[in-house]
Amino acid sequence: MTTVSWVEGSQDGGFGIENLPYGVFSRPGELPRVGVAIGDRVLDLAEMSAAGLVEDRRYFASGSLNAFMVAGRAAWQANRERVTELLSDEVYRGRVEPHLIPVADVDMQRPFEVADYVDFYSSEHHATNAGRILRPKGEPLPPNWKHMPVAYHGRSGTVYPTRTPIIRPSGQRRAKDDPEPSFGPSRRLDFEAEVGFVVGVPSPAGRGVPTAAFRDHVFGFVLVNDWSARDLQMWESQPLGPFLGKSFATSVSSWVVPVAALEPARVSPPVQDPAPLPYLRCDEPWGLDLHLEVLINGRVAARPKFASMYWTPPQQLAHATVNGAPLRTGDLFASGTVSGPEREERGCLLELSWNGQEPLLLDDGTERMFLEDGDTVTLRAQAPGAAGSRVALGEVTGTVHPAPS
């Protein structure tokens, strides 16, 4: 039986009752609080709690989702069921409708306080392309790549909400023909189209989290743009991983889509050969049929498909904790660049322009090798939902501003 909301227009656009993502919003002169998206409205959960319509143990009046995320899976499920009931049963309409606010009238905040930030490298297509670009005479994939999800540890303090201006970073860079490195603004600024998940329930130190426990710890999914200064990154990553080339900015979307909303989007991931070690094996298919779209200045640059990702979110979580590292509420894990086998499915300009050798032509006639000052990059995504619906992950947007003089 299909559940239908009484909220007008909520069946269109991917923010229907099958989705119900969480975010943090504010209005002028008011403190930030937690809400749920339904159609083009946000349901004010803090006010709903004050009205006695939802249970609230001080979850929703705070300026982040962390208090609710740490409450655990039973609390998440109970609130989801209650909100579904309130938005689908006409008997509640008169009491609930006053707490629906047009999204256009609110300011969206970063939805959660980030504890740690880890970025993986989980697309075989992206890793292979990057290897061919950067190591044209060697094997594209390093020997460890198909044995474990490779990652680097980023900076939580530079994870920004959507629409935060992106200041072009400066640092050391050394072109192939330069005798010595120089300092200055990045000349090869890039985006990376990614999908991330955020941890709600922590885990104890010294004990790994198995793949089967993914739903017990992970609250939901967001879109991520892991901005990258390729020239800084290539010079500094010898032999350690990214540092200044990545740590200046990472953008996340406003809405956190619950794991439950993406259950209908689960598909079989690519066959993993060789078979992963036992701690990385999954009893369930955890590929996700997410369709991403990347726009530069409103023009479509790429349409990556997440279903082709080699390493899945439960495998990423298991690998990140197998050494005994504990999870904390607010830990953000990003997928790494989402890329597919076709050129139009490549999730960054490094691949789309083949490191500047083949400029990307947009449909307005402009070309890009890497991002220019003033460019606005927008990532958005959607997935199949229950009963033939669509589930939107919203969007994450950032505009490049020049480096300080």
Side-chain angles (χ1 to χ4, degrees):
M1 181 177 177
T2 303
T3 303
V4 178
S5 174
W6 49 258
V7 178
E8 295 179 6
S10 61
Q11 288 76 32
D12 303 319
F15 287 104
I17 203 162
E18 304 83 7
N19 190 348
L20 301 180
Y22 291 87
V24 173
F25 72 97
S26 64
R27 293 199 289 184
E30 298 180 357
L31 293 173
R33 53 199 185 274
V34 174
V36 165
I38 178 72
D40 62 356
R41 309 290 183 90
V42 55
L43 180 64
D44 187 336
L45 290 184
E47 289 296 322
M48 291 283 287
S49 171
L53 289 166
V54 297
E55 182 180 357
D56 179 10
R57 298 178 182 177
R58 302 183 182 274
Y59 300 148
F60 302 132
S62 65
S64 83
L65 282 166
N66 289 49
F68 180 53
M69 294 195 304
V70 77
R73 187 177 174 186
W76 309 337
Q77 185 62 29
N79 192 69
R80 181 173 176 82
E81 291 173 357
R82 178 58 173 164
V83 171
T84 300
E85 178 186 26
L86 293 169
L87 293 174
S88 60
D89 192 333
E90 281 279 355
V91 73
Y92 295 108
R93 183 169 185 167
R95 298 175 65 194
V96 173
E97 212 160 24
H99 306 299
L100 288 169
I101 308 167
V103 173
D105 294 345
V106 305
D107 292 320
M108 299 303 300
Q109 314 291 324
R110 188 175 68 175
F112 52 90
E113 293 300 317
V114 182
D116 281 305
Y117 168 52
V118 172
D119 193 37
F120 284 91
Y121 190 46
S122 295
S123 165
E124 183 176 3
H125 299 291
H126 171 64
T128 299
N129 285 337
R132 287 172 176 159
I133 290 168
L134 303 177
R135 299 181 299 277
K137 296 181 181 179
E139 288 294 324
L141 290 179
N144 65 348
W145 197 90
K146 286 198 171 183
H147 292 275
M148 62 180 177
V150 176
Y152 77 91
H153 195 284
R155 288 189 67 174
S156 59
T158 52
V159 177
Y160 298 123
T162 182
R163 302 191 183 281
T164 300
I166 304 303
I167 309 301
R168 183 178 295 272
S170 295
Q172 287 193 32
R173 67 269 164 101
R174 181 183 179 183
K176 182 173 63 174
D177 298 327
D178 290 347
E180 297 293 336
S182 60
F183 176 86
S186 170
R187 300 178 181 130
R188 298 195 167 203
L189 186 60
D190 202 354
F191 63 84
E192 289 193 350
E194 306 192 16
V195 176
F197 60 84
V198 58
V199 168
V201 176
S203 65
R207 186 179 304 170
V209 175
T211 58
F214 182 80
R215 292 182 187 86
D216 296 326
H217 292 272
V218 173
F219 178 71
F221 288 84
V222 292
L223 289 178
V224 177
N225 186 346
D226 189 42
W227 304 89
S228 301
R230 299 299 187 187
D231 42 359
L232 277 59
Q233 178 186 355
M234 292 174 189
W235 171 235
E236 71 186 1
S237 298
Q238 303 179 36
L240 295 182
F243 185 38
L244 299 186
K246 296 278 194 176
S247 64
F248 61 97
T250 301
S251 300
V252 295
S253 51
S254 299
W255 298 109
V256 183
V257 175
V259 174
L262 291 179
E263 289 288 350
R266 289 199 295 114
V267 294
S268 295
V271 175
Q272 295 180 334
D273 184 19
L277 292 174
Y279 79 93
L280 287 170
R281 293 175 189 168
C282 282
D283 295 331
E284 299 178 87
W286 261 105
L288 289 172
D289 186 19
L290 308 181
H291 295 252
L292 282 68
E293 190 171 57
V294 183
L295 299 97
I296 300 176
N297 301 328
R299 307 290 178 169
V300 175
R303 289 191 171 99
K305 297 176 182 176
F306 193 78
S308 66
M309 299 295 278
Y310 190 88
W311 294 107
T312 67
Q315 290 176 314
Q316 293 166 351
L317 191 70
H319 185 66
T321 58
V322 73
N323 67 345
L327 293 176
R328 295 194 293 168
T329 301
D331 280 352
L332 174 64
F333 294 87
S335 62
T337 303
V338 182
S339 291
E342 306 299 328
R343 182 178 182 181
E344 62 269 19
E345 296 175 353
R346 298 173 183 172
C348 62
L349 283 170
L350 177 71
E351 295 174 84
L352 286 165
S353 75
W354 211 251
N355 201 23
Q357 299 176 46
E358 303 169 6
L360 171 69
L361 178 65
L362 300 172
D363 64 10
D364 63 352
T366 58
E367 292 184 340
R368 286 294 181 274
M369 293 183 288
F370 291 95
L371 295 173
E372 299 180 2
D373 291 347
D375 282 348
T376 296
V377 179
T378 299
L379 314 180
R380 56 195 185 197
Q382 63 179 22
S389 64
R390 290 184 300 128
V391 170
L393 278 78
E395 65 178 42
V396 56
T397 294
T399 299
V400 177
H401 290 239
S405 57

